[in-house]
Amino acid sequence: MPINPKDVTWIKEPEIGFWEATFLPAIAKGLRITLGHVTDYRPVTQQYPEQRPVLPQHYRGVHRLNRDEKGRVKCVACMLCATACPANCIAIEAAAAPPDWPDRDKYPAEFVLDELRCIYCGMCEEACPVDAIELTHIYDMTGESRAAMVFNKDALLGIYDKTKDNPADPVRTARGRLGPASELKNLATLGPATTVERGDRAATAPSPGVIGAPPPETRNTW
Amino acid sequence: MPTVYVNNQPVEFGAEERLNCVQAAQRAGVEIPHYCWHRALSVVASCRMCLVEVGQKKPDGAIAMQPKLIPGCQTPVTDGMVIVSDSDKVKAAQKATLEYLLLDHPLDCPTCDQAGECYLQDYSFRYGRGYSRLQEPKEQPPDKTYIGDQITLFTDRCILCSRCVRFTREISGTAELQIINRGNHAEIDIFPDEPCNNKLAGNVVDLCPVGALCSKDFLYKQRVWWLKTANSVCPNCSTGCSIFVDECEDRVYRLRPRYNPRAQGDFMCDEGRFGWKYVHGDERLHLPVQRDGGAAVSHDWDVVLPAARTALAEAAKRGEIAAVLSPWMTLEEAYLLVSYLKSLTSKLSLAVAPVRTVGEDDKYPKDVHGRTMEPTKFTIRAEKCPNRRGVEMILQHFAGSVMPMGDVLGRASSGAFTAMYLVGGDPQGWINEVQAAALDKVNTVIVQDILPSPASQRAKVVLAGGSFAEREGTFVNHAGLAQSIHRAIRSPGEGRPDGRILWDLAERRGLFSAAAVRREMADQVPALKPLLDAELGELGIKL
Ligand code: SF4
Ligand code: SF4
Ligand code: SF4
Ligand code: SF4
Ligand code: FES
């Protein structure tokens, strides 16, 4: 499509004056900045590993598999993380949950995550309906072989045990069973994925546009 | 021709045809959502998912609509009928129906095996309201893990469409399943100690539109969205049920029936459904073998195949050759083998391996005493192989008669043959120690099979072939219906599909293509003429 001449604004190059044409003011300005840095003795280099960086809350490091309040793996082996994973680095072997877990149908008999293949995008954390997989602030994992960097279920649960008391990696949720996907302890109830019709009585409960959530004490029963 | 109007689209149907609104809409490419209706079962119109507006076009062109919504599954179409499935009234009814169906539903899709092929998910997405207004606790009856040896029930996911109940009453006739209790306490159940173990039981899992009835064999093994599907034919009996082979990363996870009105209809039997485990058995032949005086000298196809070729050519010069074909071969493989051996020598004896028959044809529905009832809706045939008719057609053409394997082995034990080419394929075995002893008198024995057998132990050359899930070709069922099978997975280890082995053995140029062989074969064998120009398609061709 040709461009309408009306939409075009023509701008003139600014005229260069005498001093500008000599470049001397620009050189002086540049030198001032350089000298300013040379004479600034405040250190900027972080003395790693003696000093460790304070990372932002949303930093995405090595994964952990969370435990529920009974210490069991929270994961329900739905494989949604493996489905979302663009690097194809999660392999889960599902099995029927042990008979003494009455609240669960399914659990991961094995959960293998290849930390070398992972690109730390965090899609798995986002996909998980029970907040079982989370990315921690650990960024300095090392191993002596490739195989050592392929973490199994126990290794991933171990990272949870290591990080759960770290204020940077708070345990944000309190449940391991499915229902209204996953209960959020401190966050406000979110609206439904679809739009809510105006005048729908159910939609007017706590605040406009938000479905009435049952009172907190009954939330676990459905 | 009578015409019915679906959402303003005219759909013509035959004067003798009996269609309901759901089927008429399908012809127009319009989906009327439905749960309880299934083309093979009786109509109960209980789920109310298919409610539509129905009216009649009067001769003067005026349209009189009925004031009430009508279940489309229960309403036969007539000339001049008008069906509306996209009006606000219908949409509101669909939303309401789904909301009611989901009232007590656990919505545990992440751990539900049906997720991804669930009609509750699909219809909720397309017709539902997207959220629930229920504030009461849900009714969540406990799961019943023993409905049958192969079936488990997640009671809380059931929408009480009663398809499973009607299947056991109308198709298998065994009537194990029933609905107990009333109202929102209604549940699917069995009588105590009367599990649903009939030979067609697995079909209730396919029929269940939600994740309530699940197959124990497949439970939690794989998420369905990772499965890739190949169209195939069940090889376990000569009924030749059309099936889907669901596979992921070279592992078969399940077989499902594929609707084929020319073959079996909608269903398949459990023998076929679960009878494929040998495909991944440890005992499968993984490598080709060339033996010299009993010791293996090579496992390399590039050595083994030429060795087989040379041995056959030399044996053909010295005397008579015999070949035993298997009723588990495809038409293409049988044709390739026979035409290759014919090109070597005219002194050729052709036989067919024994066709395993078990009992008698098993017809359904049955009554409570196990007596067959009329009309027959499903037959599990006694002949436990997929392609006896096809292989016999090839033998008839090339040899004029079909010789049983016993005759050939009898002559072999008197030293009549210089070489024998035997093809196996029956996972339950096709030759015993006594029969195989005759092979000791034959200088060159070549065996092509998927499992070790007394014959393969005596063979000079063993060619590791493919199971039905690994091959391309055509099977001809008991009634002469030619259907194609397609490759779903690669053979384990170094195994190769039989078609490729025979193609390479015959030193044909290029790659094995079942379609090309089929054309050549149809051109030469008059009985297979119908295959010449026609596409086999999904349903197959009657020979
Ligand atoms: S962070 Fe991304 S790449 Fe790594 S496991 Fe999760 S989804 Fe896969
Ligand atoms: S998404 Fe969560 S619950 Fe599902 S398999 Fe992954 S970690 Fe487990
Ligand atoms: S039956 Fe369907 S809707 Fe219900 S939990 Fe299973 S996948 Fe989800
Ligand atoms: S178990 Fe499945 S097929 Fe049977 S009534 Fe329930 S939903 Fe329908
Ligand atoms: S499909 Fe018509 S009422 Fe269920």
Side-chain angles (χ1 to χ4, degrees):
Chain A
M1 209 176 72
I3 297 170
N4 188 344
K6 274 201 297 203
D7 294 342
V8 181
T9 318
W10 289 93
I11 298 171
K12 265 199 127 166
E13 234 179 274
E15 294 275 328
I16 291 184
F18 169 76
W19 282 110
E20 216 172 347
T22 65
F23 292 109
L24 286 176
I27 289 171
K29 202 169 159 192
L31 275 175
R32 216 181 70 223
I33 292 171
T34 309
L35 285 172
H37 281 298
V38 168
T39 53
D40 182 358
Y41 295 111
R42 284 175 301 165
V44 289
T45 308
Q46 208 161 38
Q47 297 305 314
Y48 185 85
E50 289 79 22
Q51 266 177 14
R52 296 203 158 227
V54 179
L55 295 168
Q57 265 298 310
H58 58 263
Y59 183 81
R60 302 191 300 264
V62 172
H63 311 71
R64 70 181 185 194
L65 266 188
N66 292 347
R67 292 181 192 274
D68 64 6
E69 61 284 356
K70 293 190 188 137
R72 310 170 302 184
V73 60
K74 219 174 191 182
C75 166
V76 294
C78 66
M79 311 201 191
L80 294 185
C81 51
T83 304
C85 177
N88 207 357
C89 62
I90 306 179
I92 300 162
E93 193 192 309
D100 52 338
W101 296 17
D103 54 338
R104 232 47 104 76
D105 288 334
K106 197 179 175 190
Y107 90 119
E110 188 48 286
F111 193 110
V112 180
L113 207 156
D114 188 339
E115 298 284 352
L116 289 180
R117 199 165 167 179
C118 170
I119 58 167
Y120 299 94
C121 61
M123 299 279 249
C124 46
E125 178 171 340
E126 221 161 301
C128 183
V130 293
D131 292 342
I133 192 165
E134 282 180 338
L135 275 66
T136 65
H137 277 71
I138 300 176
Y139 53 85
D140 53 352
M141 289 303 266
T142 51
E144 291 185 346
S145 64
R146 284 182 175 271
M149 293 303 287
V150 178
F151 289 2
N152 63 9
K153 187 170 88 173
D154 292 332
L156 291 163
L157 285 170
I159 297 176
Y160 170 77
D161 297 334
K162 217 160 84 182
T163 55
K164 67 178 192 301
D165 299 322
N166 182 347
D169 295 317
V171 181
R172 286 188 285 264
T173 58
R175 59 185 296 148
R177 52 180 284 221
L178 286 165
S182 170
E183 188 193 42
L184 300 165
K185 211 186 201 174
N186 300 319
L187 300 177
T189 315
L190 297 172
T194 48
T195 47
V196 176
E197 279 160 42
R198 229 168 241 282
D200 189 331
R201 267 184 302 130
T204 56
S207 59
V210 170
I211 287 296
E217 64 275 13
T218 65
R219 250 186 245 166
N220 269 331
T221 60
W222 51 298
Chain B
M1 243 189 189
T3 308
V4 47
Y5 300 87
V6 183
N7 297 349
N8 289 331
Q9 267 173 272
V11 178
E12 295 192 338
F13 60 99
E16 296 301 311
E17 262 184 310
R18 286 178 54 81
L19 298 180
N20 65 20
C21 297
V22 177
Q23 289 167 308
Q26 269 165 0
R27 292 212 182 159
V30 172
E31 178 186 61
I32 295 181
H34 56 274
Y35 287 116
C36 66
W37 178 74
H38 187 277
R39 70 182 150 240
L41 304 174
S42 61
V43 179
V44 289
S46 66
C47 72
R48 314 314 271 186
M49 193 63 231
C50 64
L51 292 178
V52 283
E53 285 189 85
V54 168
Q56 192 72 30
K57 213 173 194 154
K58 294 270 142 55
D60 61 1
I63 296 171
M65 296 301 287
Q66 299 192 27
K68 276 207 314 183
L69 294 174
I70 303 241
C73 65
Q74 205 187 21
T75 312
V77 292
T78 52
D79 190 21
M81 196 158 127
V82 175
I83 303 169
V84 180
S85 77
D86 57 359
S87 65
D88 287 345
K89 198 167 161 187
V90 173
K91 283 185 187 157
Q94 289 168 340
K95 278 201 171 67
T97 303
L98 274 169
E99 191 173 8
Y100 278 122
L101 286 176
L102 289 171
L103 272 191
D104 282 328
H105 196 80
L107 282 177
D108 51 354
C109 308
T111 55
C112 177
D113 251 26
Q114 189 85 2
E117 51 182 18
C118 172
Y119 282 94
L120 268 180
Q121 288 185 325
D122 293 354
Y123 289 167
S124 293
F125 183 68
R126 278 177 243 161
Y127 311 105
R129 51 183 294 138
Y131 57 96
S132 168
R133 294 177 290 181
L134 181 79
Q135 307 243 345
E136 318 300 322
K138 292 194 178 205
E139 170 82 14
Q140 307 266 265
D143 298 340
K144 295 172 187 158
T145 51
Y146 190 74
I147 291 294
D149 290 344
Q150 295 290 355
I151 306 166
T152 180
L153 173 67
F154 293 87
T155 322
D156 47 359
R157 293 184 195 145
C158 171
I159 57 165
L160 289 165
C161 68
S162 84
R163 277 185 180 192
C164 53
V165 177
R166 278 174 286 146
F167 177 84
T168 57
R169 292 190 183 163
E170 294 162 15
I171 308 291
S172 70
T174 43
E176 295 97 343
L177 296 178
Q178 55 169 335
I179 297 176
I180 58 162
N181 301 341
R182 286 186 297 169
N184 73 336
H185 296 289
E187 288 172 21
I188 295 294
D189 210 342
I190 50 173
F191 284 105
D193 299 328
E194 294 280 345
C196 186
N197 278 340
N198 66 67
K199 281 190 187 164
L200 302 179
N203 290 301
V204 297
V205 173
D206 301 323
L207 279 173
C208 183
V210 301
L213 289 169
C214 288
S215 148
K216 286 184 191 169
D217 184 56
F218 180 64
L219 194 67
Y220 305 146
K221 291 271 162 42
Q222 192 56 279
R223 299 316 313 249
V224 296
W225 53 84
W226 282 330
L227 295 175
K228 290 199 207 85
T229 299
N231 287 355
S232 191
V233 175
C234 174
N236 267 37
C237 87
S238 62
T239 298
C241 293
S242 295
I243 55 166
F244 294 118
V245 180
D246 286 342
E247 156 275 337
C248 176
E249 294 186 344
D250 283 337
R251 261 206 112 66
V252 175
Y253 281 90
R254 60 176 182 183
L255 305 186
R256 280 179 302 138
R258 175 162 59 90
Y259 175 59
N260 188 346
R262 296 185 201 164
Q264 88 285 12
D266 287 275
F267 307 112
M268 74 185 291
C269 80
D270 282 9
E271 269 168 54
R273 186 187 294 267
F274 304 116
W276 50 269
K277 299 299 163 65
Y278 66 89
V279 169
H280 297 301
D282 290 335
E283 61 282 12
R284 276 287 297 269
L285 294 173
H286 288 256
L287 291 168
V289 189
Q290 183 197 350
R291 294 203 186 93
D292 199 359
V297 291
S298 175
H299 290 299
D300 185 350
W301 281 109
D302 292 341
V303 178
V304 174
L305 272 181
R309 211 180 288 130
T310 331
L312 277 174
E314 274 170 16
K317 275 191 215 118
R318 284 202 317 275
E320 194 176 345
I321 296 185
V324 176
L325 277 72
S326 155
W328 289 71
M329 294 173 99
T330 62
L331 280 180
E332 290 81 356
E333 288 153 13
Y335 170 80
L336 274 179
L337 177 60
V338 176
S339 57
Y340 167 60
L341 294 177
K342 277 257 158 189
S343 73
L344 292 179
T345 173
S346 55
K347 284 186 287 174
L348 180 64
S349 293
L350 295 172
V352 64
V355 172
R356 188 160 45 87
T357 45
V358 179
E360 286 177 10
D361 288 359
D362 197 4
K363 296 202 170 110
Y364 288 86
K366 290 192 190 304
D367 64 11
V368 275
H369 307 293
R371 286 187 299 249
T372 306
M373 291 189 293
E374 290 297 327
T376 302
K377 292 183 177 155
F378 195 94
T379 309
I380 307 171
R381 267 164 238 279
E383 191 177 296
K384 302 294 178 199
C385 64
N387 198 24
R388 175 188 60 83
R389 274 193 71 153
V391 170
E392 285 184 3
M393 279 174 176
I394 299 279
L395 288 186
Q396 284 287 1
H397 172 75
F398 283 102
S401 68
V402 180
M403 212 193 297
M405 181 172 84
D407 294 7
V408 177
L409 288 178
R411 288 186 57 209
S413 58
S414 60
F417 304 119
T418 48
M420 272 189 91
Y421 195 111
L422 301 104
V423 185
D426 189 337
Q428 310 251 341
W430 50 280
I431 189 165
N432 59 31
E433 222 26 86
V434 181
Q435 291 170 315
L439 299 177
D440 293 337
K441 291 275 163 47
V442 183
N443 189 19
T444 305
V445 177
I446 299 177
V447 172
Q448 174 186 327
D449 203 350
I450 54 170
L451 294 164
S453 67
S456 71
Q457 279 148 21
R458 288 174 169 80
K460 197 169 196 171
V461 174
V462 180
L463 304 168
S467 70
F468 74 98
E470 294 144 33
R471 291 161 25 204
E472 295 274 341
T474 311
F475 284 154
V476 182
N477 81 351
H478 72 100
L481 178 74
Q483 300 184 80
S484 52
I485 60 167
H486 295 286
R487 183 180 195 193
I489 57 172
R490 285 176 292 188
S491 303
E494 292 279 303
R496 285 184 181 180
D498 299 31
R500 178 175 169 199
I501 296 175
L502 292 164
W503 183 274
D504 292 343
L505 193 64
E507 286 193 290
R508 287 172 174 242
R509 289 234 299 268
L511 298 175
F512 167 72
S513 143
V517 178
R518 187 150 57 228
R519 234 171 289 125
E520 180 184 325
M521 170 179 76
D523 203 29
Q524 294 208 3
V525 184
L528 300 174
K529 259 276 144 24
L531 300 180
L532 186 55
D533 296 313
E535 280 292 322
L536 278 178
E538 290 182 359
L539 302 184
I541 290 175
K542 208 79 174 210
L543 290 179

